[in-house]
Amino acid sequence: MSRPRMERRTAVVALVLASTALLAGCTATADPDDPTPTSAPDDVPVNPDGNLAVDDPDEEVPSADGIPQELHQAQIEPITATDIVLVDDGDLEYSLQVVDPATGAAKTKIVTGPGIDGPVIHPFVGESSDDPAVLAAEVWRPRGSRGAAEFTISTYSGTLLEPRELALAENTRLHSSPGSSAVTDDGAYFVAWDDGLYGVRVFDLEAGEATGELALPGCGPFTWPVGRNIFSVCENSRELLHLAIQADGSIEEVERAAVLPEDFVSSREGSFGRGADTALLVGGNGDAYVFDFSGGKLTDEVRPIGNAGQDSGRFDEAVINNPGTSMAVSYTDSPVHPDSEDAGDIMTITLYDPSSFTTIETLSAESNGLFSFDGFGYSVDGSTLYVQGTADDEDEEVTLIGFDAATGAQTSRVTVPDFVGDAERILTPQVIE
């Protein structure tokens, strides 16, 4: 039979009082006027080398003199011209990490919150931690229906605790496919295609405000920049489009010309070689177009340099290097569209010469000891194509392999052991002139 409720309650109270008295005895001082504990713990140095991780197994409870502890600062290490940026396959958040491809050493890590279909992220080469390191269009959403989402363009530099944010209008819906947004060569303006506007928007990054917009139904979604000129395509009318950012930050149409073939089919993704002012577009039917905008105006009649289709699988992403001397196209092992739920894995990447579309080399994931290719991109100088993947579908360690962009010969192979997330995309940092 159990004890009466009052008896149980009395026992519990007695136990609590006894425990409290015991606890008080451990921390009591010899003199009520003397705040010094009678048995103070030994002094333990706090973060003596400045690099103690929060979860370091050697971390110990500090002494009374060491509280409050110094906050761990997230100072950005500048991105160099020899670094690349790995981006994970996030959803509401994307983890990106600056990596030295020669050693696999992980440098600065940044988490952005796009909250849209894909990452709108632009990394930059810098000289100091105060230089802009990454620009990201982000959407920060509250829980449930607690207020409206916040749309921002965030610039990460200096300390990660204080990104510079440019608040966007609530009706702004930036497109997120590669090539649909760009930062001008001088770093002054961010230009992006807007799905709600059916056109482009311009943002002055120094002033922190929107300065221009232009509706262009039937065109886009590309913003290929040459200085402060922006080029794009219009699929239905088969036109190349030339826009220009004005001195006040507004944007105006300069010209358009129907120079594309009658069977032209556009795409949702594009690439740009900044060193050569050359744009690459692989259309939905596989036709590959290389546009030369180095003269700052529209080119004459354009024909495809070839077709990227292959019997072995479906073509997926296409990237051109900065000098415009090498391009790479990835292929799945299935005829199903790569964006489908039933799509295959990226098993081959073919290097092409953009001037003739002749094959330089076909790279195989299997022959390189990888389960699949998960992402690829060129170095800043365009001399190396980097691809990354994992050894099998259970392996979480990223393998990063470098290939000569001109020959396809392997030049390096390293692992990135502490990448956070599942690496999916490689970004080439932009040099601001």
Side-chain angles (χ1 to χ4, degrees):
M1 180 180 295
S2 62
R3 291 178 295 176
R5 180 181 303 176
M6 181 60 69
E7 185 178 345
R8 293 201 308 271
R9 180 181 299 176
T10 302
V12 171
V13 172
L15 179 61
V16 171
L17 291 175
S19 301
T20 305
L22 179 62
L23 200 59
C26 292
T27 59
T29 59
D31 185 346
D33 296 328
D34 183 2
T36 305
T38 55
S39 56
D42 295 335
D43 288 342
V44 178
V46 179
N47 201 3
D49 59 0
N51 295 311
L52 186 63
V54 174
D55 59 349
D56 193 297
D58 295 328
E59 188 172 18
E60 299 181 38
V61 177
S63 68
D65 295 334
I67 298 176
Q69 291 178 273
E70 183 180 351
L71 290 175
H72 292 271
Q73 298 296 314
Q75 195 75 13
I76 288 180
E77 184 177 347
I79 302 173
T80 71
T82 58
D83 293 331
I84 59 173
V85 179
L86 301 186
V87 184
D88 79 345
D89 60 347
D91 185 8
L92 294 180
E93 289 185 339
Y94 285 85
S95 173
L96 54 146
Q97 187 163 295
V98 181
V99 172
D100 179 354
T103 64
K107 300 170 68 174
T108 296
K109 300 179 183 180
I110 302 173
V111 176
T112 67
I116 46 183
D117 185 54
V120 182
I121 298 172
H122 298 268
F124 308 106
V125 173
E127 296 182 358
S128 74
S129 62
D130 292 328
D131 292 330
V134 168
L135 179 145
E138 301 179 309
V139 184
W140 297 104
R141 304 183 186 276
R143 291 181 296 162
S145 58
R146 300 178 184 179
E150 294 183 1
F151 293 77
T152 67
I153 296 172
S154 302
T155 301
Y156 293 89
S157 61
T159 170
L160 290 178
L161 301 178
E162 300 173 351
R164 183 178 183 182
E165 292 188 345
L166 190 164
L168 304 183
E170 292 185 2
N171 63 341
T172 303
R173 296 294 183 269
L174 299 187
H175 195 80
S176 62
S177 294
S180 63
S181 63
V183 176
T184 55
D185 296 332
D186 56 6
Y189 292 98
F190 175 63
V191 187
W193 210 266
D194 187 304
D195 288 337
L197 177 66
Y198 295 102
V200 293
R201 294 189 186 274
V202 181
F203 304 91
D204 185 323
L205 296 177
E206 180 63 29
E209 61 183 10
T211 57
E213 62 180 56
L214 186 63
L216 298 160
C219 300
F222 308 112
T223 54
W224 294 312
V226 178
R228 294 191 177 178
N229 297 293
I230 304 298
F231 296 91
S232 194
V233 299
C234 304
E235 182 174 19
N236 294 342
S237 58
R238 299 178 293 105
E239 295 173 311
L240 284 180
L241 179 67
H242 179 191
L243 310 172
I245 301 173
Q246 306 302 303
D248 62 354
S250 62
I251 188 164
E252 295 182 1
E253 181 176 328
V254 177
E255 62 177 329
R256 60 173 70 197
V259 295
L260 298 169
E262 293 185 0
D263 60 350
F264 171 74
V265 177
S266 189
S267 173
R268 305 303 289 175
E269 298 184 5
S271 178
F272 194 67
R274 287 183 172 272
D277 295 330
T278 301
L280 170 65
L281 172 69
V282 176
N285 60 356
D287 284 345
Y289 294 86
V290 176
F291 306 117
D292 181 5
F293 298 127
S294 58
K297 59 181 181 180
L298 298 181
T299 59
D300 296 329
E301 184 177 1
V302 179
R303 305 296 302 179
I305 61 173
N307 191 282
Q310 291 185 359
D311 294 336
S312 58
R314 183 66 180 258
F315 60 89
D316 188 11
E317 297 182 6
V319 180
I320 192 169
N321 67 351
N322 279 331
T325 56
S326 177
M327 57 177 281
V329 181
S330 60
Y331 295 87
T332 69
D333 57 355
S334 166
V336 178
H337 193 281
D339 292 336
S340 170
E341 186 71 23
D342 299 323
D345 295 313
I346 302 298
M347 298 306 297
T348 59
I349 296 175
T350 300
L351 285 166
Y352 295 101
D353 182 338
S355 63
S356 61
F357 203 64
T358 55
T359 298
I360 297 174
E361 186 64 77
T362 295
L363 312 175
S364 165
E366 183 178 5
S367 64
N368 283 281
L370 298 179
F371 179 74
S372 67
F373 289 135
D374 298 326
F376 63 103
Y378 285 97
S379 59
V380 173
D381 64 5
S383 64
T384 306
L385 175 75
Y386 292 104
V387 301
Q388 57 88 11
T390 54
D392 57 64
D393 58 348
E394 300 295 332
D395 190 0
E396 297 181 355
E397 189 169 76
V398 175
T399 298
L400 184 63
I401 308 175
F403 298 92
D404 188 299
T407 66
Q410 185 177 138
T411 58
S412 64
R413 185 186 182 103
V414 297
T415 58
V416 186
D418 54 354
F419 181 80
V420 178
D422 297 321
E424 183 184 60
R425 186 181 297 273
I426 295 178
L427 300 181
T428 303
Q430 177 183 341
V431 177
I432 299 298
E433 300 175 355

